[in-house]
Amino acid sequence: MTFRKKMLTATALSALMATAAQAEVTVLGWPGGPEEEALRAVTEIYNAKDDVAEENKVELLFFSRDGFFDKLQADLAAGSDAFDVNLLATYSIGRYAPYMEPITLSGEAEGVFGDTVLSTMQFEGAQYGVPTDLSMHFLFFRSDLMEELMGDEDAKATYAAISEEYLGTAMEPVAPDEMTWEDFAATALYFSRSVNPDSPTRYGTVLQMKNLLFNMMVFQSLPRAYGADWMDADGNITVDSEAYRTGLEMYKMLYDAGATPTDSLSYEFPEANAAFTSGQVAMMVQWNGASGALTGAESAPMTADVTDSVAPPTGPEGRFTHIHGLGLGLNKNAQNPDGAKAFLEWLSTEEAAVAYATAGGAPGLTGTAIEAVAEARPDLVPLGEFASNYGYVMNGATGANALSIYELQAQEFTGYWGDTQSLDEALSAAEAGMADLLK
Amino acid sequence: MTTITLENIGKRFGTTDIFQDLSLAMNSGEFVVFVGPSGCGKSTLLRLIAGLEDVTSGKISIDGRDVTHTAPHDRGLSMVFQSYALYPHMTVRQNIAFALHTEKLPKAEIDARVNEAARALQIEPYLDRKPKALSGGQRQRVAIGRAIVRKPKAFLFDEPLSNLDAALRTETRIEIAELHKSLDATMLYVTHDQVEAMTLADRIVVLSGGRIMQVGTPHELYTAPANTFVAQFIGSPKMNLLPVETTARGVELSAGKPALPVPVRPAVQLGVRPEALRLVAPEEGLLTGKVALAEYLGADLSVYVDTEHAGRVTLRGPGTMKVRDGETVGLTFDISEAHLFDANGDAIRGEMKAAA
Amino acid sequence: MRIASLIRWIVFALAAFILNFPVIATLITSFKSNAEISRNPGLCIREPTLANYATVFDPAGRFDVWQFLGNSLTAALIGTILPIALCFPAAWAMARRGVGMNVLFPAAVNLRALPLIVFAIPLYLMYQTLGLLDTKLGLGLILAVVNIPIALLILTNTVRELPYELEEAARMDGASMATLLFRIVLPMCRPAIVTVFIFGFITAWNEFLFGLMLTTRDAVPITVGASFFFASGGGGVQWGVAAAIIMVSAAPPVLLGLVMYRHIGGSMTGGAVKG
Amino acid sequence: MSLSQRSENAILTAPLVLFLLALLGFPTVLDVIYSLSDVSFETLRAPTFTGLDNFRAVLADPDFWQATWFSLKFAVLTSVAECVLGLALAIYFSPILRRAPWMLAILIMPMIIAPAMMGLMYRLVLHEFIGPLPNYLYNWFGVSYGFLTAQNVFKTIFVIETLQWTPFALLLFHMAYESIPEDIREAASVDGTRGWRLLTRIELPLMLPTLGVALFIRFIDGFRVFDNIWTLTGTGPGGSTTSLSIYIYVAFFRSGEIGQAIAASMILFAAAFLVLFVAARRGRGKETA
């Protein structure tokens, strides 16, 4: 086909097609959660501004979470111009950076977000996005059950016996905020009917073990508390470590003992939440994004009142929560780059961040910004606190292949949990693969 | 009023020759029947004429015009198919009118012709029905109606009666004969049924293995078959063929019996129709044998006789004739009724004057 | 005899229940409130509610479900009618004249065995150049590719089964190629075409992967739109709403199948009686 | 063949040929290039030629063979189970379906549901706390059966696939069974052949061609299964539910090994083509025999 013919065909076809919406600034956001609601709210504010020209108004675009990153990657790689601004996440910056343009934030940004949070959107020294949400994990638990356990001598005796049997030492129940991972395990066992027939709940915890990268993020905080990392300073892969072994074995022990639903190997976010809100689970480590779903009277009628959250349990090396940011950045092939830049710059102002937080988003804020929203969103205060106190990013987790590493770990680790391979096999396969991906 | 001629037609499917060098002329207004056992090529011949198949070699002309490479429709013929080939999704009227529509005739003319044909064939009540709702006989009439309205130069019939039951077949056969008379059109008709061939044809073409065995009027075929194939194919029960020896005395049926006149060529077989045989006393017969079975057919009686020299022979006599099973009988016939065939099976004719 | 027949009916009811169990369970869940789902996961409903459906069709809601349905309808129609239009003449040429039986026919039919993911990225690049991305036409075209094998196969077999004499009769009647195809053969293929249409429409409607890949905003089909409601990893899945959107997404092909079933069934038994 | 018939043939087949070339021609060419190149999402527009490296990598990848084995096992088991079950039900239910043909519509409903939606439905149905099935199992029998544990997941998706597509086989067999001419059954019953003997000696042999077709189609579809497994379990614990299609998808999108993914699909395509070619040959052979 000659070029001219191609053009003719293209013209003919586009004439055939429905009139493409005359997009102003098109923004592709993270769908389905509080992030979407918050983005809709700030967009409304932005579009209502007098100084935003008609052709620079923002239009939002969402698609499925299922395969979101796969599709986004294909779109970006193919040079799509269907959107001017798109979502990016800490662990995917490296992958998307080649198709994106660094941006300039407003002068206020540093004061609003703080350096740590801004750095979640940086790659090789350049700022690729405005941080919108901070994702980390909380330990959600049933305060009623925990109180009962702490105040009941018989229960304590059972607890001691169970921990003796499964963990080698007789332990005492502790409050969730003081738990080590050992305590977490003991408590999970105590509240599981297969271990303790008198347990008020069927399961002590619910682990998300589906072969899925997001579940690996939830898992990482456990080995991290024992000192786990992906690489040492010299670039050697350190996944085959005591720390990872301890974490993996603890998951396996809990799964085999029946402390988590039998089908946990196919569980991800919604399944785990559904289990928790059924009232048959005592506690679980879950994304902060689940706060609304787990404590809302509408979505969790049976457990909302008695559900509380703290930072994940602690370990010998400290208390950690996996952290990553979601943000919005500029597509290299944007049709309206100037309009997009203007929107992104505004998004990094205090006005926008406060509005975003108020509307349900979960930005990591500092300074006057956090004070402004403290009343409306008390949960954001510990978020910022947790992020700076416990937040970590694995060495290498912002590289171009970070997503693939999570995929790989998911594949190998679930294989161990599901008994299709041994711990040694899983770890050596993970190490070999990671060495390849982190080269 | 149409003549159709085939000159040196050849037809090959793959590596198989169906016809080689076949020539035939059909006269205007004539009713020609192609008859022969299945696989003899009679349907293929019809389809070559229709233009549904292309000839491999040779020439087909209609009224002197070479139509060898003309599309079927432009040959001006119409055809009635064995399965009637009525369009199932069209009403009877639409079926009949279809060809007229493709000819782009004016609507009034189409209506007139359809109504005329429908009246002639007495299918007016069904004009708005679909073929599915018709009986076999009615479908058959519609198929004929579809052929008639086009006022074709000639009609082609491909075993049109084979899907009808016996009573209806006879009735329809008569109607077709009447149709031929009233239209005075050239008709080519394929059948494997010799009764249809005999009753309908002005001329019969007997085919076997892709070759024409004989062309002639029914009477000619019956009285003067050109070869043993035609002799046995036409007539029921079929002609008896008796082995003979030709000696100086003449043709001998068996030793000790009077010989027949000497033919110009040595004969090896003698044909005699069952109705030409007569039952006589054993010592008077040219042949003798035992009656194996007698079938009573009302007007007729067929008698099967196992002879010593010529095997089983069939005789047809009046229904009033009396024979017993196992009875020894003599059989005889007039010399004038006998047909002689040479070693190739061809008839030896008209040269039996010199009696010994 | 009575008892045997009774047992047969019981087995039938059981089989129907087991085969349709996921549909039944999802349908029931779609009429439950969130509260009831977590309290009462069984098959009975204490307080049936239409709230989930109201959420799905909420005009002020996050997604325009009517638009998804419209997109699916348009794309599925293109993806069903186009293959029939393309394959019908070809099927005739193949069945009657053996055209393309060595290459074209096997190549087109074998497409059925191929995971079409293989073409995803190149198609994406091509669509982008041609401006077909995120259009109903673009989605319809690839759905047409999905349906071509079955359309070609069924139509070729159907034409082959038609009495050849009818076409000869039409040739004697002076029908041109177009008349022959469209006035004679096409009407006789109607049952097969209805079958192809229904199968094709259902397949096209149910297609997921290309909907996911090739649409973003304007042409999102309902199966993909339904998965938007099934978002995971964020604010939490509302299982009742998810169940409702699954039912909405499944309803059109199921209704089509149930209604048109008689049509197909009738033509099948008709064919059987004729022998 | 006359020239006009030739041009007629061209006109008749041209639309289909042109359409396929337009939609699949360019992608195929690009696929061939990609399969012989080192290509990633970054280098989509500028792949570097590496010969048969991708094919070598695929053939050396144990996951590829695991996926192949999975697909093969899945396809064989499901297609056989579907056909056996479909055949048995079609015959057993034939008195019911003859009296009330629309009952068939109830039985074939599952195959009208999108497999992707079916997977999503089972995510709900099999969930221990919101799914009816585990709920009853627990309440009535006190069992928490893990449908999707690494040990059970294959059985579960096998059952799911079989339940969805048995109706397909049932429909085909129903049609075949009903089209057996009644006089054949009558002839058999006059001969004193009835019941089981009638079934095994007369009816089943007559339905044999349908059995072949049904097995073949279900085998093909089972072999390239994607949607329902993908939405239900993804790749499964330790990759235990990775079918060949899922392997290709993951290699393509998740791991960004585009060349390898396309090489794998080329191998799959070649295998499928070979199978179909042989099947077509045998089919044609039978027809002429």
Side-chain angles (χ1 to χ4, degrees), chain D residues 1 59 82 182:
Chain D
M1 193 174 289
L59 294 176
E82 285 155 11
E182 204 49 42

Side-chain angles (χ1 to χ4, degrees), chain A residues 36 59 64-65 75 78-79 269, chain C residues 62 124 128 217 228 232-234:
Chain A
E36 182 184 325
E59 196 183 273
S64 168
R65 283 194 189 209
D75 282 349
F269 186 84
Chain C
R62 294 160 51 212
Y124 192 104
Q128 198 183 30
R217 174 177 50 187
F228 290 4
S232 62

Side-chain angles (χ1 to χ4, degrees), chain A residues 6 9-10 13-14 16-21 23 26 28 30-37 40 59-67 71 74-83 212 268-271 273-274 277-278 287 289-290 292-293 298-302, chain C residues 33-41 51 60-63 68 120-121 124-138 141 208-218 220 223-239:
Chain A
K6 216 170 183 175
T9 326
L13 283 169
S14 41
L16 259 175
M17 277 166 292
T19 51
T26 317
L28 174 64
W30 187 228
E35 301 87 351
E36 182 184 325
E37 277 166 46
R40 285 180 189 277
E59 196 183 273
L60 297 178
L61 189 56
F62 296 97
F63 45 76
S64 168
R65 283 194 189 209
D66 233 357
K71 175 161 169 52
D75 282 349
L76 285 171
S80 170
D81 58 4
F83 44 81
L212 196 70
E268 53 178 306
F269 186 84
E271 279 87 358
N273 287 352
T277 52
S278 73
W287 300 84
E298 174 87 3
S299 51
M302 293 193 292
Chain C
S33 68
N34 257 343
E36 182 162 358
I37 290 170
S38 49
R39 270 200 208 99
N40 160 36
R62 294 160 51 212
F63 301 111
F68 294 155
I121 282 284
Y124 192 104
L125 295 173
M126 187 172 89
Y127 268 32
Q128 198 183 30
T129 316
L130 296 176
L132 283 169
L133 265 191
D134 199 25
T135 61
K136 285 163 259 188
L137 175 63
L141 290 179
F208 184 71
L209 190 65
F210 283 107
L212 195 64
M213 294 260 332
L214 299 178
T215 68
T216 331
R217 174 177 50 187
D218 296 331
V220 174
T223 43
V224 176
S227 74
F228 290 4
F229 286 80
F230 220 91
S232 62
V237 171
Q238 295 189 308
W239 291 92

